[in-house]
Amino acid sequence: MELHDVWFALIAVLWIGYFFLEGFDFGVGILTKLLARDEAERRVLINTVGPVWDGNEVWLLTAGGATFAAFPAWYATLFSGFYLPLLAILVCLIVRVVSFEYRGKRDDARWKRNWEHALFWTSLLPAFLWGVAFANIVHGVKIDAEGEYAGTVLDLLNPYALLGGLVTLALFTFHGALFVALKTRGDVRDRARALARWAGLATAGLALVFLLWTQADGGNVRSLVALVVAVLALLGALAANQRAREGWAFGLSGITVAGAVAMLFLALYPDVMPSSLDSAWSLTVANASSSAYTLKVMTWVAAIMTPVVLLYQSWTYWVFRKRIGVQHIPA
């Protein structure tokens, strides 16, 4: 196995980690409107992710940086062709950060309500747009002989991509509801479990169609295995949620996220961005990668720093592991 193959796998792992962690983060933001009934409950939901949301976003920065360093041609074509949707995601993430920090800065109902609206929409839109973006990457886009994107923004809004967006939106909402059920107590916990049941059923229907479409379009044996793992994990999460086993349910929903993202990367490989105009113009792990020396240096840095980051983030989750409820929110 060449180093460019290794780095394709490592980038896939980074995206899996990002969607696993930021997925429930987005879900909690969406649930501030769908689940919370009053000010105290909204504060409970926000506090479940308050200590960890910024650490979750580090995975996105690392995935983007690794793509830039390991596959500069992929990075250039992706960020130029998908400029508007990725810019929309970036703006949403910036406003979302501000909404977390500014919501409690003034004791004014209108001020808080406006930032809560911002938190909801800047959680919902990226959850949808990430699915649209990755569906297009896997399905293939208009790349010319120079390796440049030759389509328009409207080309990205095809039925397959829109279905992918609905899948990630439903999946992250389900994932977030299970996280809330795991981290809260009382009435919020019970309603989170009930909402997770319906969100999980919606996810199952949408994801099954999308994953089977992906498998039929360009899948292989490896992607089929990942598909089976994702579907079984989703069914297991639904069953565990029904039995009020929140830890198992959340863990299995995380495996669902990991399995679905892994399937996309396995169906994509050895391409990194297929061309729908001519397969000979596709970007692959071989023709889009950096030099062997660059990849070697990156490998040493990753081997040293990755365990440190994982240990620190695991410690953060351990420190803030206890459940919270409205009784913990001061008047």
Side-chain angles (χ1 to χ4, degrees), residues 9 27 60 108 129 163 174 183 204 208 238 254 263 292 295-296 330:
L60 173 61
D108 178 78
L129 290 175
L163 177 60
F174 173 59
K183 290 289 292 178
L208 187 60
L238 285 167
M263 183 200 172
L295 296 177
K296 184 177 181 180

Side-chain angles (χ1 to χ4, degrees), residues 42 55 58 92 103 123 153 248 253 298:
R42 281 188 289 274
V58 171
C92 284
R103 179 187 173 277
S123 298
V153 175
W248 280 99
S253 71
M298 290 175 60

Side-chain angles (χ1 to χ4, degrees), residues 274-314:
S275 173
S276 59
L277 299 177
D278 189 331
S279 60
W281 298 343
S282 297
L283 300 179
T284 68
V285 293
N287 65 25
S289 67
S290 294
S291 66
Y293 180 76
T294 299
L295 296 177
K296 184 177 181 180
V297 172
M298 290 175 60
T299 303
W300 278 107
V301 173
I304 296 171
M305 297 305 299
T306 302
V308 176
V309 174
L310 291 175
L311 286 172
Y312 174 76
Q313 195 162 20
S314 299

Side-chain angles (χ1 to χ4, degrees), residues 65-304:
T67 303
F68 172 76
F71 300 98
W74 182 15
Y75 182 93
T77 302
L78 176 63
F79 278 78
S80 59
F82 291 32
Y83 179 78
L84 288 179
L86 292 178
L87 177 62
I89 291 174
L90 178 60
V91 171
C92 284
L93 293 180
I94 293 172
V95 176
R96 189 167 178 269
V97 168
V98 177
S99 69
F100 274 119
E101 298 295 338
Y102 275 39
R103 179 187 173 277
K105 295 299 183 183
R106 288 174 56 182
D107 190 16
D108 178 78
R110 183 177 179 182
W111 171 272
K112 292 181 178 180
R113 185 169 59 251
N114 289 337
W115 285 118
E116 288 163 3
H117 288 317
L119 176 60
F120 171 77
W121 288 109
T122 56
S123 298
L124 184 149
L125 289 175
F128 175 77
L129 290 175
W130 277 127
V132 172
F134 270 84
N136 275 295
I137 292 172
V138 175
H139 190 61
V141 292
K142 295 179 179 179
I143 299 176
D144 60 22
E146 304 299 322
E148 298 180 358
Y149 181 68
T152 66
V153 175
L154 293 179
D155 292 327
L156 302 178
L157 301 179
N158 55 78
Y160 176 79
L162 294 175
L163 177 60
L166 292 176
V167 170
T168 52
L169 177 58
L171 178 56
F172 292 166
T173 304
F174 173 59
H175 196 38
L178 292 177
F179 181 77
V180 171
L182 176 65
K183 290 289 292 178
T184 59
R185 58 179 62 181
D187 190 43
V188 175
R189 173 189 177 188
D190 296 334
R191 281 188 280 116
R193 286 180 46 236
L195 191 148
R197 179 166 61 252
W198 294 108
L201 292 174
T203 302
L206 291 169
L208 187 60
V209 174
F210 177 74
L211 295 179
L212 288 176
W213 190 345
T214 304
Q215 181 65 26
D217 189 46
N220 47 55
V221 175
R222 297 185 299 270
S223 63
L224 179 60
V225 172
L227 185 155
V228 172
V229 170
V231 171
L232 292 178
L234 178 56
L235 296 176
L238 285 167
N241 179 63
Q242 190 68 21
R243 291 169 174 75
R245 302 294 296 273
E246 289 97 346
W248 280 99
F250 177 71
L252 288 168
S253 71
I255 294 175
T256 303
V257 174
V261 178
M263 183 200 172
L264 296 181
F265 275 92
L266 289 170
L268 182 62
Y269 181 82
D271 292 333
V272 294
M273 221 169 165
S275 173
S276 59
L277 299 177
D278 189 331
S279 60
W281 298 343
S282 297
L283 300 179
T284 68
V285 293
N287 65 25
S289 67
S290 294
S291 66
Y293 180 76
T294 299
L295 296 177
K296 184 177 181 180
V297 172
M298 290 175 60
T299 303
W300 278 107
V301 173
I304 296 171

